[in-house]
């Protein structure tokens, strides 16, 4: 029998999953940990819906003006990727710069995820893995 209360991926995805950042290439552990929401979390799903609606509204507005919808610029695509990763982060620990701990704030996350795309990629990868959010 399937007890849906024990397989609530949405709830587990919202609670988060902690993983250790690894250096690309070597996969060496860094001692820095990020807790992320999964793609199935209500927060991430609501963000995706909101972005979709924004794009649809821009398309409709362009068509009303008799124009084709504009493609995303590279800068806009980068901003969207960073924003999408930030909405997934619940917290982090062990991230330092110049020996000083960098607290998790939206501003710090935005700067770090723009400068260090490998961190953003790991956040998105871990968030997308359903197995990370299954009850143990």
């Amino acid at each position: 029998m399937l007890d849906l209360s024990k397989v609530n991926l949405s709830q587990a995805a919202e609670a988060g999953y902690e993983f250790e950042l690894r250096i690309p290439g070597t996969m060496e552990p860094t001692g820095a940990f990020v807790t992320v929401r999964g793609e199935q979390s209500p927060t991430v799903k609501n963000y995706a819906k909101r972005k979709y609606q924004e794009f649809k509204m821009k398309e409709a507005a362009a068509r009303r003006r008799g124009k084709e919808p504009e493609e995303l610029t590279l800068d806009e695509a980068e901003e969207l990727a960073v924003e999408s990763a930030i909405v997934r982060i619940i917290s982090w620990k062990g991230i330092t710069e110049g020996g000083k701990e960098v607290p998790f704030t939206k501003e710090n996350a935005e700067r770090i995820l723009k400068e260090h795309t490998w961190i953003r990629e790991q956040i998105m990868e871990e968030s997308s893995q359903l197995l990370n959010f299954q009850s143990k």
Side-chain angles (χ1 to χ4, degrees), residues 47 50-51 78-88:
Y47 166 79
R50 194 170 60 251
K51 283 298 171 189
E78 174 82 3
E79 278 183 41
L80 187 60
V82 168
E83 191 178 291
S84 185
I86 290 172
V87 80
R88 287 165 167 74

Side-chain angles (χ1 to χ4, degrees), residues 90-101:
I90 294 173
S91 65
W92 69 38
K93 61 185 176 190
I95 294 179
T96 61
E97 285 180 313
K100 293 184 179 177
E101 185 88 17

Side-chain angles (χ1 to χ4, degrees), residues 39-101:
E39 284 184 353
Q40 298 299 315
S41 88
T43 299
V44 174
K45 283 179 161 183
N46 288 337
Y47 166 79
K49 284 178 190 174
R50 194 170 60 251
K51 283 298 171 189
Y52 179 78
Q53 288 169 340
E54 286 175 18
F55 286 123
K56 286 306 207 181
M57 286 173 42
K58 283 182 184 179
E59 278 182 0
R63 287 200 173 97
R64 279 194 302 275
R65 293 190 309 269
K67 298 184 178 189
E68 282 296 311
E70 292 181 24
E71 296 287 323
L72 281 180
T73 66
L74 285 176
D75 287 341
E76 289 170 330
E78 174 82 3
E79 278 183 41
L80 187 60
V82 168
E83 191 178 291
S84 185
I86 290 172
V87 80
R88 287 165 167 74
I89 301 172
I90 294 173
S91 65
W92 69 38
K93 61 185 176 190
I95 294 179
T96 61
E97 285 180 313
K100 293 184 179 177
E101 185 88 17

Side-chain angles (χ1 to χ4, degrees), residues 4-136:
L4 291 176
S5 67
K6 294 184 180 177
V7 191
N8 190 335
L9 293 178
S10 178
Q11 201 171 43
E14 189 67 34
Y17 169 77
E18 183 180 76
F19 71 96
E20 185 172 10
L21 289 171
R22 297 193 174 268
I23 301 295
T26 65
M27 296 309 286
E28 182 182 330
T30 62
F33 294 85
V34 181
T35 302
V36 293
R37 291 178 183 88
E39 284 184 353
Q40 298 299 315
S41 88
T43 299
V44 174
K45 283 179 161 183
N46 288 337
Y47 166 79
K49 284 178 190 174
R50 194 170 60 251
K51 283 298 171 189
Y52 179 78
Q53 288 169 340
E54 286 175 18
F55 286 123
K56 286 306 207 181
M57 286 173 42
K58 283 182 184 179
E59 278 182 0
R63 287 200 173 97
R64 279 194 302 275
R65 293 190 309 269
K67 298 184 178 189
E68 282 296 311
E70 292 181 24
E71 296 287 323
L72 281 180
T73 66
L74 285 176
D75 287 341
E76 289 170 330
E78 174 82 3
E79 278 183 41
L80 187 60
V82 168
E83 191 178 291
S84 185
I86 290 172
V87 80
R88 287 165 167 74
I89 301 172
I90 294 173
S91 65
W92 69 38
K93 61 185 176 190
I95 294 179
T96 61
E97 285 180 313
K100 293 184 179 177
E101 185 88 17
V102 179
F104 172 67
T105 64
K106 185 179 186 289
E107 294 76 21
N108 285 340
E110 193 171 317
R111 181 179 54 77
I112 287 170
L113 297 181
K114 281 181 182 176
E115 292 174 9
H116 305 278
T117 56
W118 63 274
I119 295 174
R120 184 176 74 219
E121 289 166 1
Q122 288 182 37
I123 287 166
M124 297 303 287
E125 175 66 26
E126 295 295 334
S127 175
S128 71
Q129 297 296 317
L130 279 178
L131 289 176
N132 289 342
F133 302 95
Q134 290 184 343
S135 301
K136 310 261 184 310

